[in-house]
Amino acid sequence: MSDSKDYYEILGVDRDADARTIKRSFLKKARQVHPDVSDDPDAEGKFKELNEAYSVLSDEQKRANYDRYGTADGPMGGGYVDFSDIFGGMGVDDIFSSFFGGAGGGRGGSQQRRAGRDMAISLSISLEEAASGCKKTISFDRLAPCEDCGGSGAAEGAREVECSRCHGTGYVTTYQRSIFGQVQSSSPCPDCQGEGTVIDHPCDMCDGQGRTPTHEKIDIDIPAGIATGRQLRVRGYGEAGFRGASCGDLIVTIQVTEHARFTRSGDDLLCEAHVSIAQAALGCEIEVDGILEGERVQVSVPAGTQFGDVVTQDGYGMPRSGAGSSKVRGRLLVRVLVDVPTKLNAAQREALERFAEASGDDVAHKKSVGDRIRDAIDDMLD
């Protein structure tokens, strides 16, 4: 966002204007400059500027940042981040093109079904959030039921009347001459967009559609154990239907980000833990961090464990998704890494040499008494 632009001036509203006033002014100006309805060669640039202003002033957090710092991103140049991580779905330009050129807009657009379409977005969450479940606030743009007319598309006291052009059929018939003779074709009525009725006094806010472009924020619950690719359906938060018809749904596709320590395989989690050669040879108990906050897991490493062996601990993996199963968890798989020391003090070297001798192992070098004395002095100095 550029801090050289006065968004209030672009929208033609006072700095203390409420959300309703901002939206009404935006829609009024958008109808004048949108490329689908304007002959102005600069219409596309003007609409983008208008939409930029509205996208800031219609969002409480962005507007607060803009009022205080002159930029929607806040003082750090990126301090505000939507939780939605929106990828895909209808873009803002698609939404407004649908509004100005679609069913009920009175602009001669193509026929669309009355019910609203489903919309889709993608939401990224951490593996910890997937393990524990969480609530997320998502933000997105959509055609929502008009607040002024309650979605009916009619101004106060208005009513639906039969379309005079198609006489209520919703279709008009045209005739064209061709080499095969006269060809008859039917198409949706451009006046009523195939509805068969028109509103004698349409709502000023939505131009008779019963829906307006809106920036939404909603909270959704993410169940524990959810995996990448799982879709959550939020009923009624897709595109609003035409003149009071049902809304579509919002479909949220979950993306679980990769974790620094854990690798997920279904309901199982794989991590790594380091042990010494003595612990691997003799066996030991170690403690590792679990995926849930504050969780510590006791893991038994059996004697004779080799580098790369995997120790399994049941009940400390990911919760199993599904009704009534969130308390049932998969396995924690701990891959054991045996650390070979790179520097030995005199006592450690002597112990290992005795071990090698008892095992009948040949070692590359046995230190003399003088070497051991020097090592002992080095250890005292360290």
Side-chain angles (χ1 to χ4, degrees):
M1 301 293 180
S2 171
D3 56 6
S4 63
K5 299 177 182 178
D6 187 336
Y7 292 142
Y8 292 98
E9 182 178 344
I10 291 172
L11 286 175
V13 297
D14 296 331
R15 300 191 73 85
D16 60 353
D18 60 19
R20 193 181 190 87
T21 301
I22 289 172
K23 182 175 181 179
R24 183 181 291 276
S25 179
F26 166 70
L27 290 175
K28 181 179 179 181
K29 288 180 175 291
R31 289 190 182 95
Q32 300 169 359
V33 302
H34 192 276
D36 285 355
V37 297
S38 174
D39 296 328
D40 189 335
D42 297 328
E44 184 174 349
K46 289 180 179 179
F47 178 73
K48 286 183 177 179
E49 184 178 62
L50 186 69
N51 182 62
E52 178 182 319
Y54 179 67
S55 70
V56 172
L57 299 188
S58 64
D59 185 286
E60 291 182 4
Q61 181 65 54
K62 291 181 181 179
R63 183 180 180 183
N65 284 341
Y66 176 73
D67 288 344
R68 186 173 182 182
Y69 305 109
T71 171
D73 294 329
M76 303 305 292
Y80 174 72
V81 180
D82 272 346
F83 284 110
S84 54
D85 291 332
I86 299 175
F87 310 103
M90 289 183 69
V92 174
D93 289 340
D94 295 328
I95 289 172
F96 284 102
S97 293
S98 178
F99 177 66
F100 289 109
R107 312 295 186 198
S110 61
Q111 164 70 0
Q112 298 182 20
R113 57 188 179 186
R114 287 182 60 93
R117 294 174 292 182
D118 291 342
M119 296 179 62
I121 65 172
S122 179
L123 175 64
S124 293
I125 63 173
S126 68
L127 187 62
E128 288 90 347
E129 290 172 325
S132 61
C134 62
K135 178 174 287 188
K136 289 295 228 181
T137 300
I138 59 175
S139 58
F140 57 100
D141 297 288
R142 70 163 180 147
L143 288 175
C146 176
E147 296 176 357
D148 275 22
C149 64
S152 69
E156 186 176 355
R159 60 191 181 91
E160 287 190 14
V161 296
E162 182 181 282
C163 175
S164 58
R165 183 165 184 170
C166 67
H167 304 291
T169 64
Y171 291 88
V172 292
T173 302
T174 57
Y175 299 90
Q176 291 181 325
R177 292 187 177 275
S178 72
I179 58 174
F180 302 105
Q182 194 174 51
V183 177
Q184 174 182 320
S185 62
S186 294
S187 59
C189 175
D191 286 1
C192 66
Q193 301 298 319
E195 294 296 320
T197 60
V198 295
I199 298 173
D200 56 1
H201 297 293
C203 169
D204 290 335
M205 177 73 91
C206 66
D207 200 22
Q209 284 199 38
R211 55 189 188 176
T212 57
T214 304
H215 186 74
E216 296 270 11
K217 277 190 177 182
I218 61 172
D219 293 332
I220 62 171
D221 291 316
I222 310 296
I226 198 165
T228 290
R230 170 82 181 276
Q231 292 184 329
L232 303 177
R233 183 177 291 269
V234 186
R235 302 287 181 185
Y237 276 91
E239 182 185 79
F242 174 57
R243 274 160 51 179
S246 61
C247 295
D249 297 333
L250 178 67
I251 300 171
V252 183
T253 302
I254 299 298
Q255 300 290 331
V256 181
T257 58
E258 292 186 2
H259 197 274
R261 289 193 306 111
F262 292 103
T263 301
R264 182 176 185 176
S265 177
D267 296 327
D268 294 339
L269 291 175
L270 173 66
C271 67
E272 295 179 339
H274 292 261
V275 299
S276 68
I277 55 176
Q279 288 174 312
L282 301 174
C284 64
E285 294 284 332
I286 61 173
E287 192 174 65
V288 298
D289 289 325
I291 188 62
L292 300 180
E293 183 178 0
E295 185 176 59
R296 300 289 291 171
V297 184
Q298 293 290 329
V299 178
S300 296
V301 178
T305 294
Q306 303 297 303
F307 186 98
D309 284 353
V310 174
V311 180
T312 301
Q313 195 73 22
D314 292 335
Y316 287 95
M318 293 293 290
R320 291 179 181 165
S321 59
S325 64
S326 60
K327 293 183 179 180
V328 179
R329 297 172 62 180
R331 302 173 300 169
L332 178 64
L333 309 176
V334 181
R335 183 169 179 259
V336 179
L337 305 180
V338 182
D339 295 331
V340 177
T342 57
K343 183 178 180 181
L344 299 172
N345 59 34
Q348 291 169 333
R349 176 173 290 277
E350 185 176 354
L352 280 177
E353 287 176 351
R354 288 199 303 269
F355 176 79
E357 185 177 351
S359 303
D361 295 334
D362 251 346
V363 293
H365 173 63
K366 291 185 178 180
K367 287 195 174 183
S368 66
V369 174
D371 291 335
R372 294 176 183 176
I373 292 174
R374 281 191 295 273
D375 285 343
I377 293 173
D378 289 340
D379 289 340
M380 292 173 62
L381 295 176
D382 284 345

